[in-house]
Amino acid sequence: MLALFFLSCTGEKDEGKIRIGFSQAMSNDNWRRSMNNSMRLQASLNPKIDLIIKDANYVVATQIEQIESLIADSLDVLIVSPIQSKPVTSVVQKALYAGIPVLVVDRKTESQQYTAYLGADNIEVGRNAAKEIIASNIKDSIRIIEIKGLVGSSPAEERSMGFNQIIDQFKKAQITATIEGNWEKESIQNKFRQLLNDDIKVDYVFAHNDRMAVGAWEVARELGIENEISFIGVDGLAGTNGGIQAVKDGVLKATVLYPTGGDEAIKLALKIFNKEAIPKNNILSTTIINELNADIMNNQFEKINEQQDQMEEQLAAIKKQEELYYSQNNLLKITMALLAIILSLAVYSVYSIFAIRKKNKQLVLTNDKVTVQRNQIEKIAKEVKISNEAKLNFFTGLSHEFKTPITLILSSVESMSDFVKEKGSKMRNELELIHNNSNRLLRLINQLLDFRKIEDRKFNLKASKTNLYSFSKIIFKDFEREAKKSNIDFKLTSNNEALDVFIDRNLMDKVYFNLLSNAFKFTPDNGKIGIHIEDDDKKNMVVIRFRDSGIGIPPNEIDGVFQAFFKGSNNRKNSSGIGLHLSKEFVEMHKGTIQVNSLHGTEFIISLYKGQAHFDETEIISEQDLVDSNIIDFSSDHLIDDNYLIQDPGKNQEKYSVLIIEDNKDLSKFLKNKLQLEYDIHLSDGTDALEKAFETVPDIILCDINLPDKDGFEICEILKRDLRTSHIPTIILTALGNKESYIKGLQSGADLYLTKPFSYSILVQSIKSLLYNREKLRYYYTSNIHKIEELNSFGNIEQKFIHQLNSLINENLGNSDYSVENLAENLTISRVQLYRKVKAMMGISISDYIGNIRLEKAKVMLETGSLTVAEIAYTNGFSSPNYFSTAFKNKYGTSPIAFRKSI
């Protein structure tokens, strides 16, 4: 009864309402806000109109969702201003099928399936802009930059079409460049600035709206060339920030009037509601606004706006009076109803008191039972979570532990393979078998680790530009031998072998191997397996098909193929059940899809987008990270040493020293046996790592992370901060391959981070490269003895040490009693440590280094000064002129006196 009463209060207002819904593309600019205000004003003139405005805020998905909600509200008329033509087409058709007439304003949909269109002729807008440029120019040639609106929107396409139709008719006019924008000035300013910085010559800029035109003018003003370029926009709004004011201020040469049509849209919607005959296309008139008519147009618009403001004030007053009438009328009815309700409530409250007391007793008992059950469930859930976490941690830790012995196996196979290739042994097949199965075990371990990362959402995509056919060819070759063994017809085809896509090569490599491994596992001998790459230009997609003639998948199990731990009912072979699950996750990380068909075999279809627009900036890298190699490839040549790096030491040549910090005795012994031919090897199990490093001061350090005392990160950080060892290159060898560990290793100061199982060949080349770079740095220091003065030129501890060393030597240059012991004391290190540090960095003794500085200073004084040879000798700390002459002649091949005469 109460509901009926309130309905009677409001029924008078809602009776006979015409419900019009408007899906606005966005309302963050003056033109759109002007359209909205015009609609509201026109709708307010008719009290029967109930106008609903939805703002999509420039998000296509939001606009589609809002239109569907308006359709569900059973509107009388739907007005739509599409963000983009194509995506909104289907939902507009859906409204028509639901019996709701649709009026499309400003921008058209892709099809003609709507009731009517209202808007200016965008083709004519582009033509008018071009005509204005041609008419206002007297030069022999016109160079134009066109700034387009949002790609895919009909105004942008049609304005560009009309503009180019006119420009193409005049040979003197030429569009030198185009810029793709999104209607906002910020979207084009950097691109326009780059064009101007590249010395692109331009006379006119035509922008598809005034905001982008003003944005381009601002860039030209920054560069001081705003008076050399004329700017033309579209919209022609009045007001402080409108296009007309910009023309008056001299910012724009002209603007093309593009009326909003807000009031006309409401009028058309009423005609559609009343089933009046209207044209399919309702075109709003447009014109050019330039310095000749800008004041007139501005005055007209101001008068119109004043009239609109007055009308809005009058309508607001009328609405206020209506609301007052309705509120007083309703207040009277409500007062009468409340009296009846109060009486009813008084009776009901007495009854409720007794009923509530009874219910409360029942609720207390039920609540106690629920509390006990909830606590039991929480306890069980906590125990299950702890158990699952323990299991996952166990398998993850076990997987990491597997990597060290696999490193030993694969590195040993690599060494034996080198011997087999040299001797032509018949053990090649056995070695290949060991190698392939070790790699298979490694891939299974990596799948366990990948599964854990996927569960924890710790994968970071690193997409780089990749030739898809070449990438596929490399993996294809890995399976060719398997295909030959089983006499399988194995093919790779593509309709575009030059196609480049952005993919994470590491992740996509795993997808390929999972799909091909399954294909070979379930395809019988003499079967067929194929990879076909199809470049689909129409959809901007690339499709990769993996087909086999194997046992297939039962139709009723197709939907569960990509679930974790899935195993088909017709699968009689061992399987982890996570390979396809990981493949699907990796493909979806690329914003792609993977599907499966099974008929006379199985077909997996991967669809990926071309280009890089679908990735975030953080997901794209310019160069692909080093992919862990599978140690050796029996079908290809081994890595060849670069002879220019470091030559093998001769019998009497001093060897470089290497400190290996590794608690696994087998791996430590293996590395020692392999490296000791070229290097002096020192070993540490981690307990005495720092002591060994400070004692031996090696030329390079190999360090594991998981050590019994301090971990590898701590050791590396301490060594890099200590003056005695800061110059030593450090390589971290570990089974931890996640991004966090990699970053932590680099932050600790490591020069290289290699994950187990690592390639011994890559390790050797890495050692040689780091030592070679150290030699180059040593050459720089020795070639610029007294020139290294600026503390911040490199910003590292070696630079600080060299600066401090040179400063102390220069301060005591004339003191012949200043010894190496004094220098070491001033540097707060021992004489032995100073000798080792300078020897490691410079390749010469500290005494020779000091002598070289003195001789360099003396040489400069001989060239530029007037002091005698004896005075120069004593000034630079030489004990006697004879000793100075002998040292000078030994270094420069001539005596000081002869050197001065030769100048």
Side-chain angles (χ1 to χ4, degrees):
M1 182 180 73
L2 187 62
L4 291 173
F5 171 75
F6 280 111
L7 284 173
S8 69
C9 293
T10 58
E12 296 177 19
K13 292 180 71 176
D14 294 337
E15 184 180 0
K17 285 287 186 180
I18 302 172
R19 302 183 72 246
I20 300 175
F22 175 40
S23 174
Q24 176 64 285
M26 79 291 289
S27 297
N28 59 348
D29 61 77
N30 292 334
W31 193 87
R32 296 284 174 177
R33 286 193 286 270
S34 176
M35 176 188 285
N36 294 349
N37 292 336
S38 298
M39 283 190 172
R40 290 191 183 100
L41 178 60
Q42 187 63 35
S44 64
L45 296 175
N46 191 330
K48 290 186 177 182
I49 293 179
D50 181 14
L51 178 62
I52 305 165
I53 298 179
K54 299 275 189 179
D55 180 7
N57 198 25
Y58 223 56
V59 179
V60 175
T62 302
Q63 184 169 42
I64 293 172
E65 182 180 338
Q66 290 176 350
I67 294 174
E68 289 182 339
S69 69
L70 291 172
I71 294 172
D73 287 344
S74 301
L75 298 171
D76 295 308
V77 181
L78 174 62
I79 304 174
V80 178
S81 177
I83 297 174
Q84 292 182 349
S85 302
K86 185 175 181 179
V88 182
T89 299
S90 60
V91 73
V92 168
Q93 293 173 352
K94 182 178 179 181
L96 288 175
Y97 296 152
I100 301 174
V102 180
L103 174 61
V104 177
V105 299
D106 178 34
R107 305 174 179 179
K108 297 179 180 179
T109 60
E110 197 170 60
S111 73
Q112 296 292 318
Q113 294 189 28
Y114 45 76
T115 307
Y117 165 75
L118 173 67
D121 187 344
N122 280 297
I123 295 178
E124 190 61 29
V125 168
R127 291 171 179 165
N128 287 342
K131 291 175 183 177
E132 175 67 14
I133 291 174
I134 299 300
S136 63
N137 191 276
I138 58 174
K139 296 181 179 180
D140 293 333
S141 64
I142 310 173
R143 295 160 296 189
I144 306 168
I145 292 178
E146 181 183 4
I147 301 178
K148 298 183 178 181
L150 180 66
V151 174
S153 63
S154 61
E157 294 174 355
E158 292 178 356
R159 289 174 190 178
S160 180
M161 184 190 304
F163 185 74
N164 280 272
Q165 285 176 356
I166 299 300
I167 293 299
D168 290 343
Q169 295 176 13
F170 293 87
K171 293 182 179 179
K172 70 175 184 177
Q174 179 185 5
I175 299 176
T176 59
T178 59
I179 299 175
E180 302 287 351
N182 65 358
W183 305 113
E184 302 302 327
K185 67 180 183 180
E186 293 82 5
S187 68
I188 61 95
Q189 286 184 317
N190 287 335
K191 300 175 184 177
F192 186 61
R193 187 180 290 106
Q194 183 63 46
L195 286 177
L196 296 181
N197 287 334
D198 291 341
D199 291 331
I200 294 292
K201 302 300 181 183
V202 57
D203 301 307
Y204 282 87
V205 171
F206 168 51
H208 286 194
N209 69 3
D210 291 337
R211 296 195 302 282
M212 294 192 293
V214 172
W217 178 84
E218 290 174 353
V219 173
R221 184 182 59 184
E222 290 176 12
L223 301 177
I225 58 172
E226 71 276 14
N227 296 325
E228 301 174 14
I229 306 173
S230 299
F231 298 85
I232 296 179
V234 177
D235 282 348
L237 287 178
T240 305
N241 298 320
I244 297 178
Q245 187 62 42
V247 173
K248 292 178 64 180
D249 294 341
V251 172
L252 300 184
K253 176 76 174 177
T255 179
V256 183
L257 176 64
Y258 191 76
T260 64
D263 50 351
E264 287 87 349
I266 298 299
K267 292 176 183 177
L268 270 178
L270 279 175
K271 289 182 179 181
I272 293 172
F273 175 78
N274 294 325
K275 302 193 182 322
E276 297 180 25
I278 60 170
K280 180 78 171 183
N281 292 305
N282 300 269
I283 306 302
L284 299 172
S285 59
T286 181
T287 186
I288 286 287
I289 301 174
N290 52 29
E291 58 186 2
L292 300 177
N293 62 353
D295 289 328
I296 297 172
M297 296 296 293
N298 191 56
N299 292 336
Q300 289 179 347
F301 278 119
E302 286 180 351
K303 289 181 181 179
I304 292 171
N305 289 334
E306 288 177 5
Q307 293 173 355
Q308 286 183 343
D309 291 341
Q310 292 174 359
M311 292 174 65
E312 288 178 356
E313 291 175 0
Q314 294 172 359
L315 288 170
I318 293 171
K319 187 174 182 180
K320 188 175 181 181
Q321 291 295 326
E322 286 181 350
E323 290 175 351
L324 181 62
Y325 166 77
Y326 285 122
S327 62
Q328 291 175 346
N329 185 34
N330 290 336
L331 182 62
L332 178 61
K333 293 179 180 179
I334 290 171
T335 303
M336 295 174 63
L338 286 175
L339 291 174
I341 292 170
I342 290 170
L343 182 61
S344 301
L345 288 175
V347 175
Y348 181 73
S349 61
V350 175
Y351 167 78
S352 299
I353 290 172
F354 294 100
I356 289 171
R357 288 176 180 174
K358 184 177 179 181
K359 290 289 184 183
N360 279 342
K361 292 180 181 179
Q362 295 175 349
L363 286 173
V364 169
L365 294 174
T366 304
N367 188 52
D368 291 340
K369 292 180 181 178
V370 170
T371 302
V372 172
Q373 292 174 350
R374 184 193 63 193
N375 292 337
Q376 291 175 342
I377 292 171
E378 288 179 350
K379 183 179 179 181
I380 293 171
K382 189 175 181 180
E383 291 174 351
V384 170
K385 182 179 179 181
I386 293 172
S387 176
N388 287 339
E389 192 68 25
K391 291 176 183 177
L392 283 173
N393 287 335
F394 168 75
F395 283 111
T396 303
L398 193 61
S399 299
H400 282 302
E401 289 298 321
F402 282 154
K403 285 195 171 185
T404 297
I406 290 176
T407 298
L408 288 169
I409 295 170
L410 291 173
S411 296
S412 299
V413 171
E414 182 179 2
S415 298
M416 295 169 68
S417 175
D418 290 338
F419 178 78
V420 167
K421 283 192 174 182
E422 291 174 4
K423 303 298 184 180
S425 174
K426 296 181 179 179
M427 295 174 61
R428 182 177 178 84
N429 291 333
E430 286 76 4
L431 287 176
E432 182 179 358
L433 183 64
I434 296 172
H435 172 260
N436 290 340
N437 281 278
S438 297
N439 277 336
R440 185 169 298 173
L441 177 59
L442 177 59
R443 285 192 176 276
L444 291 173
I445 291 170
N446 285 336
Q447 280 198 349
L448 281 176
L449 298 176
D450 290 345
F451 181 71
R452 180 65 187 275
K453 288 181 183 178
I454 284 291
E455 291 295 303
D456 294 341
R457 298 293 171 191
K458 288 187 177 179
F459 261 115
N460 295 291
L461 196 72
K462 296 180 180 178
S464 61
K465 191 174 183 180
T466 304
N467 181 280
L468 187 57
Y469 181 79
S470 299
F471 173 81
S472 304
K473 186 73 173 178
I474 293 171
I475 303 174
F476 173 83
K477 287 183 174 294
D478 289 338
F479 285 88
E480 275 188 321
R481 185 179 295 272
E482 186 70 22
K484 290 179 181 178
K485 288 180 181 178
S486 302
N487 196 28
I488 290 176
D489 183 7
F490 186 34
K491 293 182 179 179
L492 169 64
T493 58
S494 173
N495 66 344
N496 183 4
E497 295 185 5
L499 175 65
D500 289 332
V501 294
F502 278 80
I503 58 173
D504 186 317
R505 298 178 196 168
N506 283 322
L507 298 187
M508 198 55 66
D509 172 86
K510 294 173 182 179
V511 173
Y512 269 70
F513 266 91
N514 276 325
L515 297 181
L516 288 174
S517 296
N518 283 342
F520 277 95
K521 184 186 296 184
F522 299 113
T523 300
D525 292 354
N526 303 313
K528 293 183 178 181
I529 297 176
I531 308 172
H532 178 64
I533 302 170
E534 181 180 340
D535 181 7
D536 190 342
D537 289 329
K538 295 181 180 178
K539 297 183 179 179
N540 194 35
M541 300 280 288
V542 57
V543 178
I544 311 168
R545 301 178 184 273
F546 296 81
R547 294 193 184 100
D548 67 61
S549 59
I551 62 174
I553 303 169
N556 59 333
E557 298 178 7
I558 286 285
D559 294 338
V561 163
F562 297 110
Q563 294 177 3
F565 311 116
F566 168 82
K567 186 174 182 180
S569 58
N570 60 344
N571 181 5
R572 299 293 183 267
K573 299 186 178 183
N574 292 327
S575 174
S576 64
I578 61 175
L580 291 177
H581 173 70
L582 290 175
S583 297
K584 184 174 186 292
E585 293 285 346
F586 293 157
V587 171
E588 290 179 350
M589 285 175 67
H590 286 77
K591 312 297 186 295
T593 60
I594 182 170
Q595 299 172 305
V596 59
N597 298 321
S598 186
L599 181 65
H600 306 301
T602 305
E603 180 183 35
F604 287 91
I605 305 168
I606 298 175
S607 299
L608 300 174
Y609 287 101
K610 293 188 286 187
Q612 63 186 75
H614 53 290
F615 290 121
D616 295 335
E617 291 182 3
T618 56
E619 296 176 327
I620 298 174
I621 59 175
S622 57
E623 293 183 4
Q624 175 67 17
D625 290 348
L626 179 65
V627 180
D628 288 343
S629 64
N630 287 326
I631 311 305
I632 53 174
D633 181 357
F634 284 89
S635 62
S636 62
D637 294 334
H638 291 286
L639 291 170
I640 300 173
D641 290 346
D642 293 326
N643 294 324
Y644 71 91
L645 293 177
I646 300 171
Q647 299 296 330
D648 292 338
K651 292 181 179 179
N652 298 321
Q653 187 176 346
E654 184 179 358
K655 293 182 179 180
Y656 289 98
S657 59
V658 179
L659 172 61
I660 300 173
I661 306 173
E662 171 63 65
D663 60 337
N664 184 287
K665 292 182 179 179
D666 289 335
L667 181 56
S668 182
K669 184 177 180 181
F670 171 79
L671 291 174
K672 178 181 179 181
N673 291 337
K674 295 289 287 184
L675 295 172
Q676 65 185 358
L677 294 177
E678 293 187 70
Y679 306 100
D680 286 330
I681 306 299
H682 304 280
L683 299 179
S684 171
D685 61 0
T687 57
D688 60 347
L690 295 175
E691 291 80 359
K692 281 284 182 69
F694 295 143
E695 176 187 350
T696 60
V697 189
D699 293 298
I700 196 162
I701 296 175
L702 309 181
C703 185
D704 191 14
I705 289 181
N706 296 321
L707 295 168
D709 189 9
K710 293 180 173 62
D711 65 34
F713 298 133
E714 293 179 80
I715 292 173
C716 186
E717 190 170 358
I718 292 171
L719 293 176
K720 287 296 181 179
R721 288 183 178 178
D722 195 288
L723 181 62
R724 295 168 289 179
T725 54
S726 60
H727 64 282
I728 303 174
T730 305
I731 300 175
I732 285 183
L733 304 175
T734 179
L736 301 177
N738 58 316
K739 179 181 177 182
E740 291 79 6
S741 298
Y742 185 84
I743 292 174
K744 190 174 181 182
L746 296 180
Q747 289 174 341
S748 68
D751 296 87
L752 189 63
Y753 190 97
L754 292 180
T755 55
K756 298 176 182 177
F758 54 82
S759 167
Y760 176 73
S761 299
I762 291 178
L763 174 62
V764 170
Q765 291 301 118
S766 300
I767 292 173
K768 291 183 178 182
S769 295
L770 289 174
L771 290 175
Y772 173 66
N773 290 335
R774 180 58 59 181
E775 285 292 333
K776 289 199 295 185
L777 188 60
R778 176 184 294 173
Y779 176 76
Y780 171 80
Y781 285 141
T782 55
S783 299
N784 298 272
I785 290 175
H786 59 279
K787 299 177 183 177
I788 303 172
E789 298 295 339
E790 292 296 330
L791 272 173
N792 297 322
S793 60
F794 292 145
N796 57 29
I797 196 167
E798 283 82 13
Q799 178 67 21
K800 183 177 180 181
F801 171 74
I802 293 295
H803 173 77
Q804 190 176 3
L805 180 67
N806 287 349
S807 297
L808 288 171
I809 294 172
N810 287 323
E811 288 172 6
N812 297 276
L813 200 61
N815 183 3
S816 60
D817 296 328
Y818 190 71
S819 64
V820 174
E821 286 77 8
N822 300 133
L823 180 59
E825 184 179 352
N826 291 335
L827 290 170
T828 64
I829 59 176
S830 70
R831 183 180 183 281
V832 174
Q833 288 170 346
L834 176 60
Y835 172 81
R836 288 177 176 171
K837 182 78 174 179
V838 173
K839 183 70 173 177
M841 291 184 63
M842 312 293 184
I844 58 177
S845 67
I846 182 62
S847 301
D848 291 340
Y849 183 72
I850 295 172
N852 286 342
I853 290 181
R854 286 174 169 166
L855 288 171
E856 286 283 345
K857 292 285 186 179
K859 181 182 177 184
V860 173
M861 295 175 72
L862 286 169
E863 290 174 336
T864 60
S866 59
L867 297 176
T868 65
V869 172
E871 289 173 331
I872 291 174
Y874 291 122
T875 301
N876 288 288
F878 289 95
S879 57
S880 68
N882 289 335
Y883 175 61
F884 168 61
S885 297
T886 302
F888 191 91
K889 186 172 184 178
N890 288 338
K891 181 170 179 64
Y892 299 110
T894 183
S895 67
I897 296 174
F899 176 76
R900 172 171 276 181
K901 289 181 179 180
S902 66
I903 297 173

